[in-house]
Amino acid sequence: MKLNRWIIWAIALQLILIIATSFMFNNKKSTTTSEESVRGTALSIWVYSEGLETSINEFHQTYPNIDVDVRYFRSSDHLFTELMAAISANAAPQLAEIKSFYGIAQLVDAGAVLPVDNLSIPEWKKLQPTFTEPFHYSDLDWAVPIGGSIPMLYYREELPKNSQKGSFTGWGEVSNAAMETNLVGNDGGIKGHWGIAIDKELPWYLDSLNVKENHGETEEYGKFNSAISMWGEWVHNLNIMKPITHRRAASDFINGKIGLFLSTSEQLMTVERYIGGKFQYNAQLLPGLEQQGIVPSIDGMIVLNPTPTKVKAANSFISYMISDTTQNALWRSNGLIPSRSDVLLKLQEEGQWNASQKMILDSVRMFSAKKPAKMDFERWSYTQSMLEQLEQDTNHAKEKYFEEEYETWLRK
């Protein structure tokens, strides 16, 4: 009887040991799996802004458990084209940068992007409404704005000599300044004009040309007709803008080959750095833009339907990019206008900015929000192609055709 009792106790003890061992093993396995899940979280991020590289590296140092795989693109339209192809191939990244000009409607309609409401972004209420509006579609927000920029006219300081205000008040004055001679040969003959150049994002700059003449047409279409006519006149009649040279426009201005340069406010830091003391220059808002309203270029981040673990990592990245520290740094190092209202207000209150920087920060009061539409990317691509064709048409005979075709496209 005693022996049977000992056998029963031995069996019970063995069962207890087996259960305890099993519990410890499973608990350790669960903990290890959880740790590996956090440690192994990887984010694939596609961006076109080179200025984000420093912030991305600093994010990785702050969150070492999140591995960041970054792919850089030469332009926003190149990224968007590749992104649509990657979505079709089920190979999209978890995060991607997007321009406010186009893309959000197409991505939403394709069911590829996660709405902001599904994310955890406590800083969302601090963002400027004019920065979030271009990403608001079908009653939801689909991208988190990181920052923005405005179109600006850079020019050699000696050129607006005929303007009473010391800056350009109209495009006629700009054209006259671009026709000023910059080189005189040994025989005293004129060798060239200072000229003008326009940066790469042609449709944005075309929309920003507030040319008042409308030749009896409606204001909207008359403005575009006049802007297109002036564009063609610069290239073909006045010979002050070389055709299809937009990708080298910045370097031509910095190297003193041209006198006037239409570009983004983000270029200000680059222009200051590389011109140094070679010559004196200035920058201003485009003529007439204060009356028309400024449509800014806004860079946003979208999340493309990742797993729950990657959504948390994406939240961490976006929150880092719109933190007050990062927003402040993006302005100081890259000239990106903060998307956060509180950060912008603090910067505006600082008294250390030069005239151009102060003008950029104060320009927010003139911002005009652009709502997204389904045909945005097609319209952007069409306008880009149309302007390039116009510049290459040596006899300028097709100008009216382009104007009429553009009007037809706008009415779609």
Side-chain angles (χ1 to χ4, degrees):
M1 191 72 170
K2 221 179 236 190
L3 183 61
N4 288 340
R5 187 178 297 165
W6 279 109
I7 291 173
I8 291 171
W9 278 108
I11 292 171
L13 184 60
Q14 273 189 323
L15 286 171
I16 292 170
L17 287 171
I18 289 170
I19 292 170
T21 304
S22 175
F23 175 80
M24 290 174 63
F25 175 77
N26 288 332
N27 185 57
K28 183 179 179 182
K29 183 178 179 182
S30 174
T31 303
T32 303
T33 302
S34 177
E35 288 176 355
E36 286 177 352
S37 173
V38 174
R39 188 181 300 116
T41 301
L43 277 180
S44 174
I45 307 175
W46 288 9
V47 297
Y48 52 78
S49 298
E50 294 180 8
L52 296 184
E53 185 175 2
T54 300
S55 297
I56 293 172
N57 291 337
E58 289 173 351
F59 167 78
H60 184 52
Q61 292 172 8
T62 306
Y63 295 86
N65 290 339
I66 301 176
D67 295 322
V68 180
D69 177 29
V70 187
R71 181 179 173 188
Y72 292 94
F73 291 79
R74 67 175 181 269
S75 64
S76 56
D77 54 346
H78 181 215
L79 187 155
F80 180 74
T81 302
E82 290 289 320
L83 183 61
M84 293 301 286
I87 290 168
S88 298
N90 200 27
Q94 286 82 55
L95 282 161
E97 191 179 8
I98 186 171
K99 274 286 184 198
S100 55
F101 300 132
Y102 52 76
I104 201 68
Q106 292 91 324
L107 289 166
V108 172
D109 291 344
V113 59
L114 207 63
V116 173
D117 288 352
N118 288 25
L119 306 174
S120 177
I121 311 292
E123 302 88 350
W124 178 261
K125 292 183 179 180
K126 297 179 180 179
L127 300 178
Q128 299 183 54
T130 50
F131 276 40
T132 59
E133 185 67 26
F135 302 117
H136 188 84
Y137 180 72
S138 292
D139 297 325
L140 288 171
D141 297 294
W142 300 92
V144 180
I146 303 301
S149 58
I150 62 172
M152 291 179 64
L153 177 65
Y154 297 83
Y155 56 91
R156 295 181 72 98
E157 206 168 65
E158 67 266 30
L159 288 180
K161 56 188 178 184
N162 296 322
S163 173
Q164 295 180 350
K165 294 185 177 181
S167 61
F168 299 102
T169 58
W171 289 106
E173 291 180 358
V174 172
S175 298
N176 291 336
M179 286 188 287
E180 291 284 332
T181 57
N182 66 341
L183 290 172
V184 179
N186 293 330
D187 58 354
I190 297 171
K191 297 296 183 182
H193 303 295
W194 271 121
I196 189 169
I198 302 176
D199 220 335
K200 301 181 290 293
E201 293 178 325
L202 307 186
W204 184 36
Y205 298 114
L206 178 70
D207 286 347
S208 301
L209 297 180
N210 185 16
V211 185
K212 295 180 180 179
E213 299 174 24
N214 59 32
H215 307 292
E217 299 164 290
T218 62
E219 184 176 350
E220 179 184 1
Y221 300 125
K223 183 179 81 71
F224 282 114
N225 278 354
S226 298
I228 293 168
S229 294
M230 185 172 69
W231 196 293
E233 187 175 87
W234 284 347
V235 176
H236 300 294
N237 295 347
L238 303 179
N239 296 314
I240 55 175
M241 184 166 77
K242 294 181 179 178
I244 318 300
T245 56
H246 306 287
R247 293 198 173 276
R248 70 166 196 252
S251 61
D252 280 353
F253 181 70
I254 289 169
N255 293 324
K257 294 181 179 180
I258 56 171
L260 300 105
F261 173 45
L262 267 71
S263 187
T264 168
S265 56
E266 283 185 83
Q267 283 279 15
L268 184 62
M269 301 289 187
T270 302
V271 168
E272 287 181 349
R273 185 180 306 117
Y274 289 104
I275 287 181
K278 287 189 291 186
F279 59 86
Q280 297 298 312
Y281 73 95
N282 214 328
Q284 67 166 78
L285 296 178
L286 303 192
L289 212 54
E290 291 187 46
Q291 296 79 17
Q292 175 179 304
I294 301 172
V295 176
S297 169
I298 302 164
D299 303 308
M301 295 299 300
I302 55 173
V303 179
L304 293 107
N305 294 334
T307 61
T309 303
K310 291 184 184 289
V311 168
K312 291 181 179 179
N315 276 337
S316 297
F317 178 77
I318 291 175
S319 291
Y320 183 83
M321 294 304 295
I322 59 174
S323 68
D324 53 358
T325 302
T326 305
Q327 289 277 291
N328 207 301
L330 286 172
W331 161 256
R332 295 179 189 276
S333 60
N334 304 325
L336 200 64
I337 301 171
S339 59
R340 279 187 43 173
S341 301
D342 55 338
V343 175
L344 176 67
L345 182 60
K346 289 179 182 177
L347 290 172
Q348 287 174 328
E349 290 173 349
E350 291 186 23
Q352 65 185 47
W353 312 117
N354 62 36
S356 296
Q357 291 171 321
K358 189 176 186 307
M359 176 188 65
I360 294 167
L361 290 172
D362 291 344
S363 68
V364 179
R365 60 185 172 80
M366 295 177 275
F367 280 4
S368 175
K370 177 185 177 295
K371 296 182 181 296
K374 291 184 178 182
M375 298 295 287
D376 280 344
F377 185 65
E378 288 79 3
R379 185 172 298 188
W380 179 275
S381 301
Y382 170 80
T383 306
Q384 188 96 10
S385 175
M386 178 203 69
L387 290 171
E388 289 173 355
Q389 290 179 55
L390 176 62
E391 290 181 18
Q392 293 178 83
D393 177 32
T394 53
N395 60 22
H396 205 209
K398 294 182 179 179
E399 179 190 326
K400 190 61 182 176
Y401 163 75
F402 284 127
E403 293 170 1
E404 292 171 353
E405 190 175 87
Y406 191 62
E407 283 189 12
T408 302
W409 180 264
L410 284 172
R411 292 189 179 100
K412 289 183 179 180

